[in-house]
Structures are given as C-alpha cells and as structure tokens.
Amino acid sequence: MTERAPVLSVRGLSVRFLMPGGRRVAAVTDAHFDVAPGECLALIGESGCGKSVLASALLGLLPGNAQTAGRALLGDLDLLAADERTFARTVRGRLIGLVPQSPAAHLTPVRTIRAHLEETVAELTEVRGRTALREAAEAAAGRAAFPVTHLDRHPHELSGGLAQRAATALALVGDAPLLLADEPTTGLDRDLVDRTVDELRRHVDQGGSRALLMITHDLAAAERIADRVAVMYAGRIVELADAAAFFGAAGPRHPYSRGLLDALPDRAFAPIPGLPPELGALPEGCAFAARCDRASDACAALPPLRDTVACHHPHAVLTEAADRA
C-alpha cells in the first residue's frame, strides 16, 4: 500500500513570546509531528503546557509579540509563513475547521445561532436560496447534536454545553481537510462527550482524506477516538505513541505520560507531585526531572525525541511475550 502524504506536517515548530524587559517565554519548543489522512492525533498535557499556543500558531492567531520558527505544512502551504489575507480567505474554515476552547468568545452576541450557521454555510459551500440555507443550517446543527428548537436563540441564552455544540456545528460546515478541536468536550456531560467525539471521528472517516488534531484534557475522549497520542510537557512534545498501546497494557513510556494516566480516578488516582516549571525559566535539561522518581544526573542534559519518547530513562517497551507472561 502506498503511504499517502500527511494532511499536516509540523517540523521544528517553536513559539516564543517577547515580554517587557526582553524576557522570552518559550511556549512551544521544537515540535515535530504529522497527522495523516484518516487519522486522529490527540494532543494532551497539563494546562499551560503550550497546546493551545500550538493551535493558535497553526491558525495565524498568535499575538503581535509572538515569534515563530520551523514549518507547518498543510499540503503545500506553510502555515507559519502565511499572511493574514491567506488565513482569512483560504485557511480558516476552508482548510482548517476550528472547534474553539472558548466558544462564547467566538460567537457574535447579537446574532442567533441560526444566523451564524446560515452565514457559514453560504460562505463555505455552494448552497444558495433561503429555504436551502435554512435546511442546511438545521442539518449542520444536527451533526453536533445542537437542538433545532434552540437555533433562534442568541449565544448568551445558551448553556456552556450548548455553546460548545454550536461551535462544533460551525466547525464542521466547511468539511475542511484538517479539523482542529481545542477542548471540544468542555461543559458537556458524558453522553454528549461521546456523541461529540464520535461526530468528529465520522468527519475524519468520511472519504479517508481528512484529519483531526484534538487538544484535550479528557483522556477518556482521547482513548475513544484517537489513533495516536502526542504528550506535551513544558512546551515540548515528550512522547508520540499509538493510542491502543498508550491506553492499553503496554502503557506510555515517558514517566510524565504514565503519571497522567495514573492520576485518573479509574486507575491509581495518584497525582503527579510538584508543579510544572515556568515557561519563561525552563531548566537546561529535562523539564520533568524535578517531579520524576526516575531522574538521574543524566537528566541535566535535554533528552531528544528518540524512538517516540524524549526521556533518558523511559519505561521499557512491553512485548507480547512479556504481556502474556
């Protein structure tokens, strides 16, 4: 079988914020990953580790004091080199559909959800005519389990969960080749979480040419739909793993990744000790060493990402023979 080119290929993506006094904050450092056609990659990690900054870089939404390096290729387009006109007319909605982390901030307060959807359908599809636009808007709402009875409400009249579903419906309209979902399950109960992520998965599976990059704290949602998992800590991707192995008997190899799973209530329910380092004052070596029970003198040097894990003392690969034993 011929391997197809990735939908998104990120190489050496770094984001620095220039702060007053010349201080620099290393929000994302040297990120490398691909997202293949038909694949869902879940990007996980604690709050403040750089996940949403990475998403903003891909969408050209970084503030003016941000400096970027590296490449992020969406087809032949380098997103890090694109200008605002390209993002506005070509990328957002058409090439990348966004499910935002804070939907209320992305919805126009004086317009109804129906108006949002009809305008988006008219802009991103070939649907024309009042009746056709109305029907298409209602169909888009249904894909995200947004009730038709609430379409004529304004954003302030919605609960957080309904606002999240409205944002998901808007993101799906353009059938973009890359869907970027930043905490898409925020404010949803478990049944709606499952329904939402299943719809995102269907978006990826239809035709096999689309891809999903899902940024999430919800490890159960990631386990439900992800093909691979990328773990970010202190601005760096420290592990890239097959989702079945990551959540299964083999488990993750990086000590931090193991700590994330062990903190879940249905597992060990054991918190990771300590706090992440400040992104403006990162250590020269492994940023997790101060919280790691496997740390040694070798951790004073920065571990490169080798064999899917950036760690001097990774957990061993669990072989099938060892698993059976």
Side-chain angles (χ1 to χ4, degrees), residues 137-314:
E138 293 179 357
R143 291 179 66 183
F146 186 91
V148 174
T149 54
H150 288 55
L151 279 174
D152 293 313
R153 296 188 179 185
H154 292 81
H156 72 273
E157 299 177 289
L158 304 179
S159 66
L162 282 175
Q164 187 69 55
R165 281 183 271 169
T168 301
L170 288 165
L172 294 173
V173 167
D175 287 327
L178 177 65
L179 190 63
L180 202 165
D182 191 357
E183 300 291 354
T185 60
T186 299
L188 304 182
D189 60 40
R190 182 47 54 184
D191 287 342
L192 282 174
V193 166
D194 292 346
R195 182 165 178 176
T196 298
V197 297
D198 287 349
E199 183 56 54
L200 297 178
R201 181 77 239 190
R202 276 191 290 274
H203 172 84
V204 173
D205 291 340
Q206 289 174 351
S209 61
R210 301 171 187 155
L212 168 63
L213 175 59
M214 183 172 76
I215 296 169
T216 186
H217 290 97
D218 190 338
L219 297 185
E223 182 177 7
R224 185 178 181 90
I225 70 165
D227 299 295
R228 288 190 303 140
V229 176
V231 182
M232 180 171 274
Y233 184 77
R236 290 183 178 271
I237 292 178
V238 297
E239 184 165 9
L240 277 165
D242 177 79
F246 187 91
F247 291 107
R253 300 190 61 205
H254 197 284
Y256 172 66
S257 306
R258 294 227 169 186
L260 287 178
L261 291 189
D262 286 343
L264 295 175
D266 59 348
R267 300 203 181 210
F269 206 22
I272 302 174
L275 295 171
E278 293 279 346
L279 293 178
L282 292 174
E284 293 185 5
C286 175
F288 187 63
R291 308 173 71 186
C292 182
D293 60 6
R294 300 168 70 90
S296 72
D297 291 343
C299 301
L302 187 67
L305 186 66
R306 288 199 189 106
D307 190 25
T308 74
V309 62
C311 181
H312 293 297
H313 308 291

Side-chain angles (χ1 to χ4, degrees), residues 55-93:
S56 295
L58 298 178
L59 286 162
L61 296 176
L62 292 171
N65 65 329
Q67 297 175 335
T68 61
R71 293 186 304 162
L73 297 178
L74 185 63
D76 295 328
L77 176 64
D78 186 353
L79 298 171
L80 300 186
D83 57 20
E84 175 56 28
R85 180 184 178 90
T86 301
F87 275 110
R89 298 196 174 191
T90 305
V91 177
R92 300 184 194 122

